[in-house]
């Protein structure tokens, strides 16, 4: 299994509070991604990174920000959590030298009440 | 923009039988990749199989095989000799040919497969 660790695995937070999810990889892969999974929508890309300090938006980026100060860490921040951000969040990594596949972390279940 | 559609929200199959999951996609790209991922109750996303669009030969991985019809933009997954451990949500995913944006994936809605004993 690819060395990807997401933390926390579960979190309950209140509307309006900031939340940061962490993705840590030990594979030295260049690309990292944050997806959210919701019933009926599959997984949708929030943000991705193609290198340290290089990030870009995905299809559902509103209300989220990301940072990548080191190759191994990719942080997803909800500045002011809303109930619509209740979801399961997945981090993924890839490195084109090892093929096109993306490998996923275990997911974080976030509930905003 | 690419879209991926899985028209079967749920399916069931008897153990040891064969089942086929459907996936269609829409793209103007000529070079791309298609994937099937499996998500068991543990929530882990597991890569099942991959197909390169430039390859006419259908990909196979043990009991899993695909029927890739590029002109029809269809990419179905066949599971032979179904096992109880195949019970999972299956996602079809599309990826443009790799470039500076890496392995950005567009997913279908998923098909929940249940294998019955």
């Amino acid at each position: 299994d690819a060395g990807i660790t997401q933390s926390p695995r579960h979190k309950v937070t209140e509307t309006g509070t900031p939340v940061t999810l962490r993705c840590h990889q030990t594979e030295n892969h260049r690309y990292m991604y944050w997806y959210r999974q919701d019933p009926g929508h599959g997984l949708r890309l929030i943000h991705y990174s193609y290198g340290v300090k290089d990030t870009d938006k995905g299809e559902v980026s509103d209300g989220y920000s990301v940072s990548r100060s080191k190759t191994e860490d990719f942080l997803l921040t909800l500045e002011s959590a809303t109930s619509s951000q209740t979801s399961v969040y997945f981090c993924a990594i890839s490195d084109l030298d090892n093929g096109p596949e993306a490998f996923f972390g275990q997911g974080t279940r976030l509930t905003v009440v | 923009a690419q879209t991926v559609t899985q028209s079967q929200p749920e399916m069931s199959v008897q153990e040891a039988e064969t089942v086929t999951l459907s996936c269609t996609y829409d793209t103007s790209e000529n070079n791309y990749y298609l994937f099937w991922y499996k998500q068991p109750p543990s929530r882990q996303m597991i890569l099942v199989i991959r197909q390169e669009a430039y390859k006419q030969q259908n990909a196979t991985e043990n009991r899993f095989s695909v029927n890739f019809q590029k002109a029809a933009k269809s990419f179905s997954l066949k599971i032979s000799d179904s096992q109880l451990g195949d019970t999972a949500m299956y996602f079809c995913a599309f990826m443009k040919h790799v470039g500076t944006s890496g392995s950005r994936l567009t997913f279908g809605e998923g098909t929940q497969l249940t294998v019955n004993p």
Side-chain angles (χ1 to χ4, degrees):
Chain A
D1 290 345
I4 311 168
T5 304
Q6 291 185 229
S7 59
R9 295 292 310 278
H10 303 271
K11 186 171 182 67
V12 179
T13 192
E14 293 186 349
T15 299
T17 61
V19 176
T20 295
L21 307 183
R22 181 184 184 231
C23 179
H24 178 77
Q25 61 144 328
T26 58
E27 305 294 323
N28 200 35
H29 280 13
R30 177 183 177 187
Y31 298 93
M32 299 185 75
Y33 315 82
W34 278 107
Y35 290 87
R36 60 177 288 174
Q37 181 180 9
D38 304 290
H41 292 277
L43 280 75
R44 292 177 292 174
L45 182 66
I46 305 171
H47 282 279
Y48 68 101
S49 170
Y50 47 95
V52 173
K53 298 187 179 178
D54 291 323
T55 66
D56 205 349
K57 296 179 179 180
E59 61 177 305
V60 290
S61 59
D62 288 348
Y64 302 95
S65 62
V66 291
S67 66
R68 191 171 179 199
S69 58
K70 299 184 292 184
T71 298
E72 57 266 35
D73 289 326
F74 193 32
L75 304 180
L76 176 70
T77 297
L78 292 65
E79 300 292 346
S80 178
T82 67
S83 58
S84 65
Q85 293 176 312
T86 292
S87 187
V88 178
Y89 291 86
F90 283 94
C91 174
I93 65 173
S94 71
D95 193 298
L96 305 185
D97 290 342
N98 294 311
E101 294 87 354
F103 299 96
F104 287 80
Q106 322 95 305
T108 294
R109 179 174 294 280
L110 176 67
T111 302
V112 183
V113 298
Chain B
Q2 287 69 229
T3 59
V4 177
T5 302
Q6 295 178 245
S7 58
Q8 305 152 315
E10 298 179 354
M11 294 190 71
S12 63
V13 64
Q14 293 299 121
E15 197 174 6
E17 292 187 347
T18 295
V19 63
T20 299
L21 309 182
S22 301
C23 173
T24 58
Y25 59 95
D26 188 26
T27 184
S28 57
E29 302 287 334
N30 190 47
N31 294 321
Y32 49 87
Y33 295 89
L34 294 163
F35 304 89
W36 280 98
Y37 281 88
K38 166 186 177 180
Q39 186 181 44
S42 66
R43 203 167 67 196
Q44 181 69 46
M45 292 288 288
I46 301 166
L47 178 66
V48 175
I49 200 164
R50 161 188 122 192
Q51 175 77 43
E52 292 89 338
Y54 64 87
K55 290 187 177 179
Q56 292 190 339
Q57 185 173 5
N58 290 322
T60 62
E61 287 288 342
N62 301 313
R63 297 183 295 108
F64 299 87
S65 61
V66 298
N67 183 5
F68 172 50
Q69 301 291 326
K70 190 173 183 179
K73 296 180 181 176
S74 171
F75 183 61
S76 60
L77 175 69
K78 185 172 82 171
I79 306 174
S80 304
D81 186 27
S82 297
Q83 301 176 359
L84 296 178
D86 295 333
T87 292
M89 180 73 84
Y90 287 80
F91 291 99
C92 178
F94 171 99
M95 189 184 81
K96 286 168 54 175
H97 186 67
V98 296
T100 56
S101 59
S103 305
R104 296 176 60 178
L105 293 163
T106 300
F107 285 87
E109 308 91 331
T111 296
Q112 176 64 48
L113 175 68
T114 301
V115 180
N116 299 308

